[in-house]
Amino acid sequence: MPNSNAKLHSNHRGGREASRRELVSRSLQSAQHCLENQDFGTAYAHYLLVLNLAPELKTTVKETFQFTLFKWAEELDSLARIQDLFNCYEQALELYPNDEVICNSMGEHLFRMGFRDEAAGYFHKAVKLNPDFADAKENFYRVANWLVERWHFIMLNDARRNLTYLRAIESAVRSGSRSVLDIGTGTGILSMFAKKAGASFVYACELSKTMYELARDVVAANNMEREIKLLHLKSLDIEIPKHIPERVSLVVTETVDAGLFGEGIVESLIHAWEHLLLQPK
């Protein structure tokens, strides 16, 4: 009797596997037929079904799936079906989370729609996945030119200004400021000054996704990624101990130009003084 049950279960599993293969085969044929008739939306739906039923085919159908996705996205864009477009890309990235071509294409749509900071994140991920991907690199540099203010470059090349900050931070650290918070870190230069000066704990927050990613790259290039904790947060949203373990003894910021009020730095400094900075005894 046990042998009969085992045989029955085996036949049942075999029947289900045969049905799966048949459905996958039919869906692939239907997808190809839809592509020939330029019915990209239906073709895309068929490919989603195939990839969910047969993930082992991901490599085989990858290029055709990408083509179908991009054509369907163009149609959705032209019809102003923006949410549907984003849903398709989210589905695609669930299936191919490390596909630089899909990431780059998603970024291009976001950029055209005015979501430049979000677009930069996808372009940056595409470049990380494939440093030789020329289109993604060009797109990332293009969006960075939109997002990185001109004064960043001026400040970074102002040797006198940077030396003044360095000396001030070194003096504060030597005087006992062992934990540092850098508000609006930008490229991370002040955080690195603090760490090189001997600060035990350095935290840096940056609201802009583009600048946050840039700071991560700069800090990593200087082998300090384990010594400086970068937070993609507005300083007003930093909580203790959720984001940093305790109050810091020094707050630094380089936002002292005409953006003083527009960037909310006054509120940030007040918040840091009241909630994040150690109070004098």
Side-chain angles (χ1 to χ4, degrees):
M1 191 68 176
N3 288 337
S4 298
N5 288 335
K7 185 175 181 180
L8 183 62
H9 285 304
S10 177
N11 290 337
H12 183 62
R13 285 196 300 269
R16 283 192 301 178
E17 177 59 22
S19 297
R20 184 188 72 91
R21 287 198 300 266
E22 176 66 19
L23 182 55
V24 168
S25 177
R26 288 180 177 274
S27 292
L28 282 172
Q29 292 174 9
S30 297
Q32 188 59 44
H33 178 73
C34 290
L35 286 178
E36 291 171 358
N37 290 283
Q38 298 188 352
D39 183 359
F40 301 114
T42 306
Y44 175 76
H46 279 298
Y47 277 119
L48 281 183
L49 177 62
V50 167
L51 290 168
N52 278 287
L53 287 175
E56 68 273 12
L57 295 178
K58 282 184 178 180
T59 302
T60 304
V61 303
K62 180 178 177 179
E63 290 187 8
T64 310
F65 175 76
Q66 288 175 343
F67 172 80
T68 307
L69 168 66
F70 300 155
K71 286 294 186 180
W72 179 225
E74 287 177 8
E75 284 192 23
L76 292 173
D77 194 6
S78 67
L79 296 169
R81 292 171 56 183
I82 306 306
Q83 190 57 56
D84 289 336
L85 185 153
F86 288 150
N87 288 343
C88 286
Y89 273 97
E90 287 175 4
Q91 292 167 339
L93 287 170
E94 285 180 6
L95 292 166
Y96 296 96
N98 296 317
D99 188 288
E100 69 274 18
V101 178
I102 295 176
C103 286
N104 182 65
S105 180
M106 176 65 157
E108 289 176 338
H109 281 287
L110 286 166
F111 184 79
R112 284 196 295 270
M113 293 173 191
F115 301 105
R116 297 192 177 104
D117 211 29
E118 293 82 356
Y122 281 98
F123 293 145
H124 184 265
K125 181 178 180 180
V127 173
K128 283 286 190 181
L129 290 167
N130 182 0
D132 297 323
F133 190 7
D135 287 350
K137 286 198 291 187
E138 181 180 344
N139 284 331
F140 180 69
Y141 295 145
R142 178 163 56 110
V143 75
N145 283 331
W146 282 89
L147 293 171
V148 180
E149 300 287 351
R150 297 296 96 193
W151 49 262
H152 270 288
F153 301 109
I154 297 172
M155 288 195 304
L156 287 172
N157 288 282
D158 189 337
R160 181 181 297 177
R161 176 191 177 99
N162 293 336
L163 184 59
T164 301
Y165 270 104
L166 174 60
R167 287 173 175 169
I169 291 172
E170 286 177 337
S171 177
V173 172
R174 283 197 298 267
S175 298
S177 297
R178 308 302 295 175
S179 56
V180 180
L181 171 64
D182 180 6
I183 296 178
T185 191
T187 59
I189 187 170
L190 298 188
S191 295
M192 291 187 290
F193 283 171
K195 195 61 197 178
K196 287 182 178 179
S200 301
F201 305 100
V202 180
Y203 311 98
C205 62
E206 176 57 56
L207 183 59
S208 165
K209 177 68 173 175
T210 303
M211 295 308 299
Y212 167 75
E213 295 289 357
L214 180 60
R216 287 183 61 186
D217 287 346
V218 173
V219 168
N222 285 273
N223 299 313
M224 293 186 180
E225 64 269 32
R226 294 184 179 180
E227 301 175 311
I228 298 174
K229 183 176 181 179
L230 288 165
L231 303 167
H232 181 215
L233 284 172
K234 189 175 182 180
S235 63
L236 296 172
D237 296 329
I238 295 176
E239 299 177 16
I240 298 172
K242 181 178 180 181
H243 301 113
I244 61 177
E246 57 188 1
R247 291 182 179 224
V248 298
S249 51
L250 176 67
V251 170
V252 297
T253 183
E254 206 171 3
T255 315
V256 294
D257 70 330
L260 179 65
F261 301 102
E263 296 200 16
I265 197 66
V266 173
E267 292 85 348
S268 297
L269 290 174
I270 291 173
H271 175 75
W273 174 260
E274 293 178 344
H275 302 285
L276 306 175
L277 189 64
L278 285 171
Q279 301 298 311
K281 295 180 180 180

